[in-house]
Amino acid sequence: MEIEEFRKHAHAMVDWMADYLENVEEYPVLSKVKPGEIKAQIPESFPESAESFNAIFKDFEDKIMPGITHWESPNFFAYFPASKSKPSILGEMLMSVLGTQGMVWLTSPAATELEDRMMEWMRDLLGLSKDWTGSIQDTASTGTFNALITAREKACNFQINEKGFHRMPRYRIYASEQAHSSIDKNVKIAGFGINNLVKIPVDENFAMIPEKLEEKIQKDIDSGYEPLFILGALGTTGTTAVDPLEKIGQIAKKHHIWFHVDAAYSGAALICPEHRWMSKGLELADSMVFNPHKWMFVNFDCSLYYVKEPDLLKQTYSITPEYLKTDADEQVNNYRDWHIQLGRRFRALKLWFVLREFGADKLRSIIHNHIVWAQWLEKEIEKSADFEMLAPVPVNLLCFRFNNGKMNEDELNQFNEQLLKQVNVTGKIFITHTKLNGKYTLRLVGGHPELTKEHLEIAWKLIQDTAHKTQ
Ligand SMILES: *Cc1c(COP(=O)(O)O)cnc(C)c1O
Protein backbone atom coordinates (compact mmCIF):
# COMPACT_ATOMS: atom_id res chain seq x y z
CA MET A 1 0.00 0.00 0.00
CA GLU A 2 1.38 3.37 -1.02
CA ILE A 3 1.51 6.04 1.66
CA GLU A 4 -1.03 8.30 -0.05
CA GLU A 5 -3.41 5.38 -0.35
CA PHE A 6 -2.89 4.63 3.35
CA ARG A 7 -3.69 8.25 4.19
CA LYS A 8 -6.89 8.17 2.12
CA HIS A 9 -8.18 4.89 3.58
CA ALA A 10 -7.22 5.88 7.11
CA HIS A 11 -9.22 9.11 6.84
CA ALA A 12 -12.21 7.26 5.46
CA MET A 13 -11.96 4.69 8.21
CA VAL A 14 -11.89 7.30 10.96
CA ASP A 15 -15.13 8.66 9.49
CA TRP A 16 -16.52 5.14 9.53
CA MET A 17 -15.50 4.76 13.19
CA ALA A 18 -17.14 8.02 14.22
CA ASP A 19 -20.34 7.04 12.36
CA TYR A 20 -20.29 3.66 14.06
CA LEU A 21 -19.96 5.19 17.51
CA GLU A 22 -22.69 7.69 16.72
CA ASN A 23 -25.13 5.03 15.46
CA VAL A 24 -24.17 2.00 17.51
CA GLU A 25 -27.57 1.80 19.20
CA GLU A 26 -29.22 1.12 15.83
CA TYR A 27 -27.55 -2.29 15.46
CA PRO A 28 -29.05 -5.37 17.15
CA VAL A 29 -26.91 -5.65 20.30
CA LEU A 30 -26.57 -9.42 20.02
CA SER A 31 -25.51 -10.64 16.57
CA LYS A 32 -28.30 -12.57 14.87
CA VAL A 33 -26.17 -14.92 12.75
CA LYS A 34 -26.35 -18.72 12.96
CA PRO A 35 -23.30 -20.91 13.69
CA GLY A 36 -21.17 -21.31 10.53
CA GLU A 37 -22.86 -18.47 8.67
CA ILE A 38 -19.86 -16.13 8.67
CA LYS A 39 -17.24 -18.79 7.87
CA ALA A 40 -19.30 -19.95 4.88
CA GLN A 41 -18.93 -16.48 3.34
CA ILE A 42 -15.14 -16.46 3.57
CA PRO A 43 -13.49 -18.25 0.61
CA GLU A 44 -11.98 -21.63 1.36
CA SER A 45 -8.57 -20.61 0.11
CA PHE A 46 -6.41 -17.52 0.49
CA PRO A 47 -5.97 -14.97 -2.31
CA GLU A 48 -2.96 -15.62 -4.53
CA SER A 49 -2.92 -12.09 -5.90
CA ALA A 50 -3.49 -8.67 -4.37
CA GLU A 51 -7.01 -7.38 -3.81
CA SER A 52 -8.10 -3.76 -3.67
CA PHE A 53 -8.55 -2.29 -0.23
CA ASN A 54 -12.01 -1.09 -1.22
CA ALA A 55 -13.06 -4.68 -1.90
CA ILE A 56 -11.63 -5.84 1.43
CA PHE A 57 -13.39 -3.09 3.33
CA LYS A 58 -16.68 -3.78 1.58
CA ASP A 59 -16.47 -7.40 2.73
CA PHE A 60 -15.76 -6.19 6.25
CA GLU A 61 -19.00 -4.22 6.16
CA ASP A 62 -21.11 -6.87 4.40
CA LYS A 63 -19.73 -10.12 5.82
CA ILE A 64 -18.13 -9.32 9.15
CA MET A 65 -20.31 -6.62 10.69
CA PRO A 66 -23.45 -8.81 10.78
CA GLY A 67 -21.48 -11.25 12.95
CA ILE A 68 -20.52 -8.61 15.49
CA THR A 69 -22.13 -8.38 18.94
CA HIS A 70 -22.01 -4.75 19.95
CA TRP A 71 -20.03 -4.51 23.16
CA GLU A 72 -19.77 -0.82 22.40
CA SER A 73 -23.54 -0.27 22.79
CA PRO A 74 -24.83 1.26 26.06
CA ASN A 75 -27.58 -1.39 25.76
CA PHE A 76 -25.03 -4.17 26.20
CA PHE A 77 -25.88 -5.37 29.73
CA ALA A 78 -24.30 -8.84 29.45
CA TYR A 79 -21.34 -10.52 31.26
CA PHE A 80 -19.26 -7.61 32.49
CA PRO A 81 -18.78 -4.56 30.29
CA ALA A 82 -15.52 -4.28 28.34
CA SER A 83 -16.16 -0.60 27.93
CA LYS A 84 -13.91 1.57 25.96
CA SER A 85 -13.98 5.28 25.24
CA LYS A 86 -12.95 7.63 22.50
CA PRO A 87 -9.59 8.69 24.02
CA SER A 88 -8.78 5.01 24.58
CA ILE A 89 -9.57 4.15 20.96
CA LEU A 90 -7.27 6.96 19.81
CA GLY A 91 -4.56 5.61 22.11
CA GLU A 92 -4.98 2.15 20.55
CA MET A 93 -4.62 3.68 17.10
CA LEU A 94 -1.27 5.22 18.02
CA MET A 95 -0.14 2.02 19.75
CA SER A 96 -0.91 0.20 16.58
CA VAL A 97 0.98 2.57 14.32
CA LEU A 98 4.06 2.65 16.57
CA GLY A 99 3.98 -1.14 16.97
CA THR A 100 6.07 -0.79 20.11
CA GLN A 101 7.44 -3.92 21.73
CA GLY A 102 8.16 -2.72 25.26
CA MET A 103 9.90 -5.85 26.52
CA VAL A 104 12.95 -4.05 27.90
CA TRP A 105 13.52 -0.37 28.59
CA LEU A 106 15.80 0.04 25.58
CA THR A 107 13.19 -1.19 23.10
CA SER A 108 11.18 2.01 23.80
CA PRO A 109 12.11 3.92 26.95
CA ALA A 110 8.82 5.85 26.85
CA ALA A 111 6.77 2.64 27.04
CA THR A 112 8.46 1.57 30.28
CA GLU A 113 8.60 4.97 31.92
CA LEU A 114 5.02 5.96 31.11
CA GLU A 115 3.96 2.56 32.49
CA ASP A 116 5.96 3.24 35.71
CA ARG A 117 4.07 6.49 36.13
CA MET A 118 0.63 5.09 35.20
CA MET A 119 0.99 2.35 37.81
CA GLU A 120 1.69 5.09 40.39
CA TRP A 121 -1.24 7.22 39.21
CA MET A 122 -3.59 4.24 39.35
CA ARG A 123 -2.29 3.15 42.77
CA ASP A 124 -3.15 6.60 44.13
CA LEU A 125 -6.46 6.82 42.26
CA LEU A 126 -7.57 3.47 43.73
CA GLY A 127 -6.60 4.63 47.22
CA LEU A 128 -3.85 2.01 47.65
CA SER A 129 -0.87 2.67 49.92
CA LYS A 130 2.58 3.50 48.54
CA ASP A 131 3.70 -0.05 49.42
CA TRP A 132 2.33 -1.28 46.10
CA THR A 133 4.11 -1.37 42.79
CA GLY A 134 3.22 -3.17 39.62
CA SER A 135 2.95 -3.45 35.88
CA ILE A 136 0.35 -3.68 33.15
CA GLN A 137 -0.61 -7.18 32.06
CA ASP A 138 -2.90 -8.53 29.37
CA THR A 139 -5.55 -10.00 31.66
CA ALA A 140 -6.48 -10.70 35.28
CA SER A 141 -5.96 -14.41 34.61
CA THR A 142 -2.28 -13.67 33.97
CA GLY A 143 -2.03 -11.48 37.07
CA THR A 144 -3.43 -14.26 39.24
CA PHE A 145 -1.05 -16.72 37.62
CA ASN A 146 1.90 -14.44 38.48
CA ALA A 147 0.74 -14.35 42.09
CA LEU A 148 0.41 -18.13 42.30
CA ILE A 149 3.84 -18.81 40.80
CA THR A 150 5.54 -16.19 42.97
CA ALA A 151 3.89 -17.59 46.09
CA ARG A 152 5.09 -21.05 45.07
CA GLU A 153 8.69 -19.97 44.54
CA LYS A 154 8.78 -17.90 47.72
CA ALA A 155 7.50 -20.84 49.75
CA CYS A 156 10.03 -23.33 48.35
CA ASN A 157 12.92 -20.86 48.15
CA PHE A 158 12.95 -21.07 44.34
CA GLN A 159 13.53 -24.82 44.40
CA ILE A 160 10.59 -25.83 42.18
CA ASN A 161 11.91 -23.53 39.46
CA GLU A 162 15.21 -25.43 39.82
CA LYS A 163 14.21 -29.05 40.34
CA GLY A 164 10.49 -29.44 39.78
CA PHE A 165 7.89 -30.75 42.24
CA HIS A 166 9.54 -34.03 43.30
CA ARG A 167 9.62 -34.34 47.12
CA MET A 168 8.10 -30.89 47.56
CA PRO A 169 5.39 -30.14 50.14
CA ARG A 170 1.80 -30.80 49.10
CA TYR A 171 0.61 -27.23 48.65
CA ARG A 172 -3.01 -26.12 49.07
CA ILE A 173 -4.76 -23.16 47.47
CA TYR A 174 -8.00 -21.62 48.79
CA ALA A 175 -10.74 -19.62 47.09
CA SER A 176 -14.47 -19.25 47.58
CA GLU A 177 -16.99 -21.33 45.65
CA GLN A 178 -17.84 -18.12 43.79
CA ALA A 179 -14.27 -17.23 42.75
CA HIS A 180 -13.58 -16.72 39.03
CA SER A 181 -12.73 -19.87 37.08
CA SER A 182 -9.29 -18.46 36.24
CA ILE A 183 -8.07 -19.72 39.62
CA ASP A 184 -9.02 -23.29 38.64
CA LYS A 185 -7.19 -22.96 35.33
CA ASN A 186 -4.15 -21.36 36.96
CA VAL A 187 -3.89 -24.03 39.67
CA LYS A 188 -3.77 -26.63 36.90
CA ILE A 189 -1.17 -24.78 34.82
CA ALA A 190 1.03 -23.99 37.84
CA GLY A 191 1.35 -27.72 38.48
CA PHE A 192 -0.45 -28.00 41.82
CA GLY A 193 -3.23 -30.28 40.62
CA ILE A 194 -6.85 -29.20 40.75
CA ASN A 195 -7.54 -31.47 43.75
CA ASN A 196 -5.41 -29.10 45.81
CA LEU A 197 -7.71 -26.17 45.13
CA VAL A 198 -9.98 -26.00 48.17
CA LYS A 199 -13.29 -24.24 47.58
CA ILE A 200 -14.62 -22.40 50.63
CA PRO A 201 -18.40 -22.11 51.14
CA VAL A 202 -20.12 -18.73 50.89
CA ASP A 203 -22.76 -17.02 53.01
CA GLU A 204 -26.23 -15.88 51.91
CA ASN A 205 -24.59 -12.87 50.19
CA PHE A 206 -22.24 -15.15 48.20
CA ALA A 207 -19.16 -13.94 50.12
CA MET A 208 -16.55 -16.33 51.56
CA ILE A 209 -17.19 -17.50 55.14
CA PRO A 210 -13.85 -16.85 56.89
CA GLU A 211 -14.53 -19.33 59.70
CA LYS A 212 -14.87 -22.09 57.07
CA LEU A 213 -11.57 -20.99 55.56
CA GLU A 214 -9.84 -21.21 58.91
CA GLU A 215 -11.36 -24.66 59.50
CA LYS A 216 -10.17 -26.02 56.14
CA ILE A 217 -6.67 -24.61 56.66
CA GLN A 218 -6.39 -26.22 60.09
CA LYS A 219 -7.67 -29.52 58.74
CA ASP A 220 -5.14 -29.43 55.90
CA ILE A 221 -2.26 -28.65 58.26
CA ASP A 222 -3.31 -31.56 60.46
CA SER A 223 -3.33 -33.84 57.40
CA GLY A 224 0.19 -32.86 56.34
CA TYR A 225 -0.58 -30.34 53.59
CA GLU A 226 1.06 -26.92 53.31
CA PRO A 227 -1.38 -24.01 52.88
CA LEU A 228 0.16 -21.73 50.24
CA PHE A 229 -2.27 -19.25 48.75
CA ILE A 230 -5.65 -17.64 49.43
CA LEU A 231 -7.60 -15.77 46.79
CA GLY A 232 -10.07 -13.19 48.07
CA ALA A 233 -12.55 -11.63 45.66
CA LEU A 234 -13.23 -7.92 45.71
CA GLY A 235 -16.28 -8.48 43.52
CA THR A 236 -16.97 -12.01 42.25
CA THR A 237 -17.97 -12.57 38.65
CA GLY A 238 -21.31 -14.20 39.39
CA THR A 239 -22.76 -11.55 41.70
CA THR A 240 -19.96 -9.01 42.56
CA ALA A 241 -19.95 -10.35 46.14
CA VAL A 242 -17.14 -8.93 48.26
CA ASP A 243 -15.22 -11.42 50.39
CA PRO A 244 -14.37 -10.19 53.93
CA LEU A 245 -10.79 -9.24 53.03
CA GLU A 246 -9.77 -8.08 56.49
CA LYS A 247 -10.66 -11.34 58.20
CA ILE A 248 -9.16 -13.38 55.36
CA GLY A 249 -6.00 -11.25 55.47
CA GLN A 250 -5.63 -11.88 59.20
CA ILE A 251 -5.97 -15.63 58.68
CA ALA A 252 -3.36 -15.45 55.89
CA LYS A 253 -0.93 -13.52 58.13
CA LYS A 254 -1.43 -15.91 61.03
CA HIS A 255 -0.53 -18.95 58.90
CA HIS A 256 2.03 -17.17 56.62
CA ILE A 257 -0.04 -17.78 53.51
CA TRP A 258 0.17 -15.64 50.36
CA PHE A 259 -2.95 -13.46 50.07
CA HIS A 260 -4.05 -12.39 46.58
CA VAL A 261 -7.02 -10.11 45.91
CA ASP A 262 -8.98 -10.43 42.65
CA ALA A 263 -10.55 -7.02 42.05
CA ALA A 264 -10.72 -7.55 38.29
CA TYR A 265 -14.15 -5.97 37.85
CA SER A 266 -15.26 -4.12 41.00
CA GLY A 267 -11.84 -2.56 41.55
CA ALA A 268 -13.07 0.30 39.33
CA ALA A 269 -15.40 1.42 42.13
CA LEU A 270 -12.38 2.04 44.40
CA ILE A 271 -11.66 5.25 42.51
CA CYS A 272 -14.71 6.62 44.41
CA PRO A 273 -13.82 7.05 48.10
CA GLU A 274 -17.46 6.32 49.10
CA HIS A 275 -17.05 2.75 47.77
CA ARG A 276 -13.79 1.94 49.56
CA TRP A 277 -15.59 -0.02 52.28
CA MET A 278 -15.00 -2.91 49.87
CA SER A 279 -11.22 -2.66 50.10
CA LYS A 280 -11.03 -2.80 53.88
CA GLY A 281 -8.26 -5.32 54.58
CA LEU A 282 -6.77 -5.09 51.08
CA GLU A 283 -3.58 -3.73 52.62
CA LEU A 284 -3.00 -7.15 54.21
CA ALA A 285 -2.65 -8.69 50.74
CA ASP A 286 0.57 -9.60 48.95
CA SER A 287 -0.78 -9.02 45.45
CA MET A 288 -3.86 -7.75 43.66
CA VAL A 289 -5.25 -7.45 40.18
CA PHE A 290 -7.65 -4.94 38.60
CA ASN A 291 -8.82 -4.60 34.98
CA PRO A 292 -9.28 -1.05 33.65
CA HIS A 293 -10.43 -2.86 30.48
CA LYS A 294 -13.69 -3.81 32.15
CA TRP A 295 -15.32 -0.82 33.79
CA MET A 296 -12.79 1.99 33.48
CA PHE A 297 -13.22 2.69 29.77
CA VAL A 298 -9.84 1.45 28.53
CA ASN A 299 -9.85 -0.88 25.52
CA PHE A 300 -9.14 -4.55 26.09
CA ASP A 301 -6.47 -5.44 27.05
CA CYS A 302 -5.26 -3.57 30.11
CA SER A 303 -4.98 -5.30 33.49
CA LEU A 304 -3.02 -3.94 36.45
CA TYR A 305 -1.03 -6.35 38.61
CA TYR A 306 0.22 -4.90 41.91
CA VAL A 307 2.62 -6.53 44.36
CA LYS A 308 4.28 -5.62 47.62
CA GLU A 309 7.60 -7.34 46.81
CA PRO A 310 8.41 -6.98 43.11
CA ASP A 311 11.83 -8.60 43.62
CA LEU A 312 10.16 -11.95 44.32
CA LEU A 313 8.21 -11.67 41.08
CA LYS A 314 11.31 -10.79 39.07
CA GLN A 315 13.35 -13.54 40.65
CA THR A 316 10.61 -16.00 39.78
CA TYR A 317 10.54 -15.09 36.11
CA SER A 318 13.93 -13.62 35.31
CA ILE A 319 15.98 -15.32 32.65
CA THR A 320 18.45 -13.08 30.90
CA PRO A 321 19.85 -14.45 27.69
CA GLU A 322 22.83 -12.58 26.29
CA TYR A 323 20.83 -10.90 23.52
CA LEU A 324 18.53 -9.16 26.04
CA LYS A 325 21.26 -7.67 28.30
CA THR A 326 21.55 -3.87 28.17
CA ASP A 327 23.61 -1.17 29.91
CA ALA A 328 20.52 0.27 31.56
CA ASP A 329 19.47 -2.97 33.32
CA GLU A 330 20.45 -1.75 36.77
CA GLN A 331 18.64 1.59 36.53
CA VAL A 332 15.26 0.78 34.99
CA ASN A 333 12.37 -1.67 35.01
CA ASN A 334 12.55 -4.37 32.36
CA TYR A 335 8.93 -5.44 32.41
CA ARG A 336 9.53 -8.67 30.50
CA ASP A 337 10.46 -10.10 33.94
CA TRP A 338 7.02 -9.26 35.36
CA HIS A 339 4.98 -11.83 33.41
CA ILE A 340 5.20 -14.90 31.17
CA GLN A 341 5.44 -13.31 27.75
CA LEU A 342 8.49 -11.60 26.41
CA GLY A 343 6.77 -9.15 24.06
CA ARG A 344 4.48 -6.49 25.44
CA ARG A 345 2.27 -3.81 23.93
CA PHE A 346 2.46 -0.13 24.87
CA ARG A 347 -0.74 -0.33 26.94
CA ALA A 348 0.18 2.58 29.20
CA LEU A 349 -0.52 4.96 26.32
CA LYS A 350 -4.28 4.37 26.14
CA LEU A 351 -4.54 4.40 29.95
CA TRP A 352 -2.74 7.77 30.01
CA PHE A 353 -5.10 9.16 27.36
CA VAL A 354 -8.15 8.01 29.33
CA LEU A 355 -6.95 9.35 32.69
CA ARG A 356 -6.16 12.75 31.18
CA GLU A 357 -9.07 13.17 28.80
CA PHE A 358 -11.68 12.24 31.43
CA GLY A 359 -9.87 13.45 34.54
CA ALA A 360 -10.41 11.69 37.86
CA ASP A 361 -13.49 13.81 38.66
CA LYS A 362 -15.40 12.71 35.59
CA LEU A 363 -14.39 9.05 35.97
CA ARG A 364 -15.59 9.10 39.58
CA SER A 365 -18.91 10.70 38.71
CA ILE A 366 -19.60 8.18 35.91
CA ILE A 367 -18.89 5.17 38.15
CA HIS A 368 -20.84 6.79 40.99
CA ASN A 369 -23.87 7.27 38.73
CA HIS A 370 -23.74 3.72 37.37
CA ILE A 371 -23.99 2.46 40.94
CA VAL A 372 -26.75 4.89 41.92
CA TRP A 373 -28.84 3.89 38.88
CA ALA A 374 -28.28 0.17 39.51
CA GLN A 375 -29.51 0.68 43.06
CA TRP A 376 -32.54 2.53 41.71
CA LEU A 377 -33.32 -0.46 39.50
CA GLU A 378 -32.81 -2.82 42.44
CA LYS A 379 -35.58 -0.92 44.30
CA GLU A 380 -37.86 -1.10 41.23
CA ILE A 381 -37.35 -4.86 41.03
CA GLU A 382 -38.03 -5.26 44.75
CA LYS A 383 -41.21 -3.18 44.46
CA SER A 384 -42.50 -5.14 41.47
CA ALA A 385 -45.03 -7.90 42.17
CA ASP A 386 -43.60 -10.23 39.51
CA PHE A 387 -39.83 -9.98 39.94
CA GLU A 388 -37.42 -10.63 42.77
CA MET A 389 -33.77 -9.85 43.51
CA LEU A 390 -31.52 -12.90 44.07
CA ALA A 391 -28.34 -11.20 45.32
CA PRO A 392 -27.30 -7.89 46.90
CA VAL A 393 -26.04 -5.06 44.64
CA PRO A 394 -22.69 -3.82 45.99
CA VAL A 395 -21.90 -2.06 42.69
CA ASN A 396 -23.86 -2.09 39.42
CA LEU A 397 -24.69 -5.74 38.68
CA LEU A 398 -28.31 -6.85 39.15
CA CYS A 399 -29.13 -10.54 39.72
CA PHE A 400 -32.88 -11.14 39.59
CA ARG A 401 -35.64 -13.26 38.12
CA PHE A 402 -39.30 -13.26 37.23
CA ASN A 403 -41.36 -14.86 39.98
CA ASN A 404 -45.11 -14.25 40.21
CA GLY A 405 -45.48 -16.78 43.04
CA LYS A 406 -47.45 -19.21 40.86
CA MET A 407 -44.70 -21.54 39.58
CA ASN A 408 -42.49 -24.16 41.19
CA GLU A 409 -38.68 -23.94 40.96
CA ASP A 410 -38.43 -26.00 37.76
CA GLU A 411 -41.07 -23.93 36.04
CA LEU A 412 -39.41 -20.75 37.21
CA ASN A 413 -36.08 -21.87 35.76
CA GLN A 414 -37.69 -22.71 32.43
CA PHE A 415 -39.66 -19.49 32.34
CA ASN A 416 -36.66 -17.28 33.09
CA GLU A 417 -34.52 -19.06 30.51
CA GLN A 418 -37.24 -18.44 27.95
CA LEU A 419 -37.57 -14.82 29.06
CA LEU A 420 -33.83 -14.24 28.57
CA LYS A 421 -34.03 -15.59 25.02
CA GLN A 422 -37.10 -13.54 24.18
CA VAL A 423 -35.51 -10.36 25.50
CA ASN A 424 -32.25 -10.88 23.63
CA VAL A 425 -33.90 -11.77 20.35
CA THR A 426 -35.42 -8.27 20.20
CA GLY A 427 -31.88 -7.00 19.56
CA LYS A 428 -32.67 -4.01 21.74
CA ILE A 429 -30.63 -5.15 24.74
CA PHE A 430 -28.37 -8.07 25.60
CA ILE A 431 -28.40 -9.67 29.07
CA THR A 432 -26.88 -12.97 30.28
CA HIS A 433 -27.57 -15.38 33.12
CA THR A 434 -26.02 -17.35 35.95
CA LYS A 435 -27.27 -19.97 38.40
CA LEU A 436 -27.50 -19.07 42.08
CA ASN A 437 -28.43 -21.89 44.48
CA GLY A 438 -29.90 -23.74 41.51
CA LYS A 439 -32.02 -20.74 40.46
CA TYR A 440 -31.79 -19.52 36.87
CA THR A 441 -30.77 -15.89 37.41
CA LEU A 442 -30.91 -12.97 34.99
CA ARG A 443 -27.78 -10.78 35.14
CA LEU A 444 -27.94 -7.16 34.02
CA VAL A 445 -25.00 -4.76 34.28
CA GLY A 446 -24.62 -1.36 32.63
CA GLY A 447 -21.08 0.00 32.48
CA HIS A 448 -20.77 2.01 29.29
CA PRO A 449 -19.25 5.48 29.80
CA GLU A 450 -22.21 7.06 28.01
CA LEU A 451 -24.88 5.01 29.78
CA THR A 452 -27.83 7.08 31.05
CA LYS A 453 -30.55 6.23 33.54
CA GLU A 454 -32.95 6.22 30.60
CA HIS A 455 -31.15 3.24 29.03
CA LEU A 456 -31.86 1.30 32.22
CA GLU A 457 -35.48 2.46 32.37
CA ILE A 458 -36.07 1.26 28.80
CA ALA A 459 -34.34 -2.07 29.48
CA TRP A 460 -36.43 -2.65 32.61
CA LYS A 461 -39.65 -1.88 30.74
CA LEU A 462 -38.66 -4.22 27.91
CA ILE A 463 -37.99 -7.05 30.37
CA GLN A 464 -41.33 -6.53 32.14
CA ASP A 465 -43.31 -6.31 28.89
CA THR A 466 -41.58 -9.40 27.50
CA ALA A 467 -42.30 -11.34 30.69
CA HIS A 468 -45.96 -10.47 30.53
CA LYS A 469 -46.15 -11.46 26.87
CA THR A 470 -44.29 -14.74 27.49
CA GLN A 471 -46.67 -15.71 30.31
C1 LIG B 1 -13.40 -10.99 34.41
C2 LIG B 1 -12.83 -11.53 35.64
C3 LIG B 1 -11.62 -12.26 35.63
C4 LIG B 1 -10.92 -12.65 34.35
O1 LIG B 1 -10.53 -11.56 33.64
P1 LIG B 1 -9.53 -11.65 32.39
O2 LIG B 1 -8.88 -10.31 32.42
O3 LIG B 1 -10.38 -11.88 31.20
O4 LIG B 1 -8.58 -12.76 32.64
C5 LIG B 1 -11.11 -12.68 36.83
N1 LIG B 1 -11.72 -12.39 37.99
C6 LIG B 1 -12.88 -11.70 38.05
C7 LIG B 1 -13.50 -11.41 39.38
C8 LIG B 1 -13.46 -11.25 36.87
O5 LIG B 1 -14.60 -10.57 36.94
Side-chain angles (χ1 to χ4, degrees), residues 80 138-144 178-183 231 233-238 240 262-266 289-291 293-294 300-303 443:
F80 275 142
D138 52 5
T139 60
S141 302
T142 302
T144 297
Q178 291 282 321
H180 187 263
S181 56
S182 54
I183 186 66
L231 181 141
L234 193 160
T236 59
T237 311
T240 62
D262 179 357
Y265 179 71
S266 297
V289 67
F290 159 57
N291 286 348
H293 71 225
K294 274 184 168 159
F300 186 86
D301 51 357
C302 181
S303 179
R443 263 175 107 266

Side-chain angles (χ1 to χ4, degrees), residues 48 55 177 303 309 361 366 397 443:
E48 199 60 56
E177 287 166 350
S303 179
E309 298 179 278
D361 257 8
I366 294 173
L397 168 69
R443 263 175 107 266

